[in-house]
Amino acid sequence: MQHWIDTNVSFSPSAFTQTILRAGDLFVDIETTGLSRSRHLIYLIGLAFYAGGTSFELHQFFSDQPSDEPELLRCFRSYLESAGVRRIITFNGNSFDLPFLCARSDVHQTGLCFDAYELFDIYKECRRRKNMLQLQSCRQKALEQFLGIDREDRYSGGELIKVYETYTKAPSDDAAHLLQLHNYEDVRNMYRLLDIFAYDRLFSCAASIDCVSIEPYTELDGSPAEELIVTLHAPCVLPGALSVRHPVSGVYLRTHTDRVHVRIPLYQRMARMYFLDYKNYFYLPAEDMAIHKSVAACVDPAYRQKATPETCYSRVAVTDDFLSSAQFAEYMTHILCSFLPPDMLPTS
């Protein structure tokens, strides 16, 4: 078995990431010969330990031969017990890496257990935000591309299984480098993926308005229309440029590192304010608005219909007084909050 160590790996966490990282965080990533915990083996465990400051220590435990797996697991357990680990951060680790490690530990009776540690799974959290950020994929390399993170490695874990099988029969420095590099960049880049959670602040903080204007444009059918253009101050430095359109309201949002541009459709100088709990509302076609079912009980059933996500809204006149009022700031906060997944909505 080989043990590769890269001490004091320097990095430059963003101001936002520094609010997430804690001393005692351990990033963990494993490489296996397949997906079955009973039939396949772990041949490489990569660890990046954060003790504070602007550096971390990276360890890789590598099995030269399949028979090294028990020693690999014992080394990992020994590291966990001695390094002062408080939280384990993984990418899909709650579903794959950690159960795989426990299963292989049971086979070899090496006593691995993660009950004493707080767990944070970056992939699981990104999946919750996939629609909010309109991500095409939540794979690690796809997220790295989204955030502008470069890497030298060009292989997938599946592609490297054959490389490892060849290595065990005919070891070479080139093959070892390929295997090491893929895992090294996986575990090293994980801390940079934490930047993606900066968008949570954008959608959950009170809107900070910079400037507002009403602009005309032409619909695809050639008809004239107007939209409200709002520029907001970002609540923190945002990674990359996020472009997202709300699937119901049609509000379009584009971010820059310190600014957010929001385009809101107007309907005869009226803006719509959508309600998420549409099942508790009725839509009144004649008034073009939704009212709560507690009020709708007084309306003739012939003049109301069950609201849908697309018809569950009230309207507000976009006047100069409205645009300069506290009500407008509250409206913009509501607009931003509408991008959040239901399970991330504020409770109050």
Side-chain angles (χ1 to χ4, degrees):
M1 193 195 81
Q2 297 189 49
H3 179 193
W4 297 310
I5 307 174
D6 197 348
T7 59
N8 297 319
V9 179
S10 297
F11 70 116
S12 301
S14 68
F16 173 78
T17 296
Q18 290 181 54
T19 67
I20 297 181
L21 283 175
R22 310 176 204 157
D25 281 345
L26 180 69
F27 297 88
V28 177
D29 182 67
I30 67 172
E31 308 301 332
T32 70
T33 59
L35 301 178
S36 171
R37 303 168 196 169
S38 59
R39 295 185 295 107
H40 298 123
L41 309 174
I42 299 170
Y43 67 85
L44 203 162
I45 302 175
L47 312 171
F49 181 71
Y50 179 67
T54 57
S55 66
F56 56 79
E57 183 176 83
L58 201 145
H59 291 255
Q60 290 177 290
F61 300 105
F62 176 68
S63 295
D64 285 298
Q65 296 295 325
S67 57
D68 290 335
E69 188 184 45
E71 183 182 358
L72 186 84
L73 295 168
R74 283 192 291 269
C75 286
F76 178 42
R77 178 186 172 183
S78 176
Y79 183 89
L80 278 179
E81 294 173 345
S82 63
V85 176
R86 297 181 180 180
R87 179 172 63 166
I88 294 177
I89 301 176
T90 60
F91 192 88
N92 198 31
N94 288 6
S95 298
F96 182 74
D97 300 66
L98 301 186
F100 208 113
L101 283 160
C102 288
R104 298 311 300 167
S105 176
D106 288 344
V107 170
H108 300 297
Q109 299 182 336
T110 55
L112 263 179
C113 180
F114 302 105
D115 291 345
Y117 307 101
E118 182 182 348
L119 306 179
F120 186 84
D121 189 330
I122 298 172
Y123 174 79
K124 179 181 177 181
E125 293 302 320
C126 286
R127 285 285 302 177
R128 292 175 64 201
R129 295 158 175 80
K130 185 175 182 179
N131 291 334
M132 178 179 88
L133 302 178
Q134 294 185 5
L135 299 169
Q136 297 301 310
S137 169
C138 288
R139 292 181 300 106
Q140 179 166 348
K141 287 186 178 180
L143 295 175
E144 288 174 358
Q145 185 176 15
F146 176 77
L147 294 170
I149 302 171
D150 294 326
R151 62 158 61 207
E152 181 183 344
D153 165 59
R154 294 293 179 264
Y155 290 87
S156 69
E159 291 170 331
L160 289 173
I161 293 174
K162 290 294 184 184
V163 176
Y164 179 68
E165 290 174 350
T166 300
Y167 175 88
T168 60
K169 299 170 185 175
S172 71
D173 291 341
D174 288 343
H177 174 72
L178 288 178
L179 297 166
Q180 178 189 16
L181 178 65
H182 174 81
N183 177 264
Y184 182 95
E185 293 193 327
D186 271 357
V187 74
R188 183 200 61 187
N189 287 349
M190 257 192 258
Y191 87 89
R192 297 185 63 185
L193 295 179
L194 298 177
D195 274 347
I196 202 167
F197 303 118
Y199 293 113
D200 291 4
R201 287 193 181 178
L202 168 63
F203 295 120
S204 60
C205 288
S208 176
I209 300 168
D210 182 21
C211 61
V212 184
S213 65
I214 296 176
E215 303 293 341
Y217 70 98
T218 302
E219 297 276 16
L220 292 176
D221 62 5
S223 60
E226 290 182 322
E227 60 186 358
L228 185 62
I229 308 294
V230 185
T231 300
L232 307 173
H233 296 286
C236 60
V237 176
L238 299 172
L242 173 67
S243 297
V244 58
R245 185 181 299 276
H246 195 280
V248 174
S249 68
V251 171
Y252 175 80
L253 179 149
R254 182 172 177 82
T255 71
H256 301 277
T257 54
D258 61 348
R259 290 288 188 277
V260 182
H261 299 296
V262 186
R263 295 165 52 185
I264 303 169
L266 295 181
Y267 307 87
Q268 298 179 337
R269 287 294 172 102
M270 303 288 284
R272 292 175 176 175
M273 183 170 180
Y274 288 80
F275 307 112
L276 292 177
D277 54 338
Y278 67 93
K279 293 182 179 180
N280 288 321
Y281 285 80
F282 280 92
Y283 176 64
L284 309 182
E287 285 78 17
D288 187 25
M289 62 179 291
I291 58 175
H292 195 269
K293 61 183 181 181
S294 61
V295 179
C298 302
V299 178
D300 187 326
Y303 295 96
R304 74 188 192 198
Q305 55 189 241
K306 289 183 178 180
T308 66
E310 292 74 22
T311 62
C312 191
Y313 56 79
S314 63
R315 297 184 301 156
V316 59
V318 181
T319 63
D320 290 341
D321 287 343
F322 172 69
L323 294 177
S324 60
S325 69
Q327 184 186 4
F328 178 57
E330 293 171 359
Y331 171 74
M332 289 306 304
T333 299
H334 178 86
I335 288 289
L336 294 174
C337 187
S338 70
F339 283 87
L340 289 170
D343 64 342
M344 290 177 60
L345 289 171
T347 54
S348 58

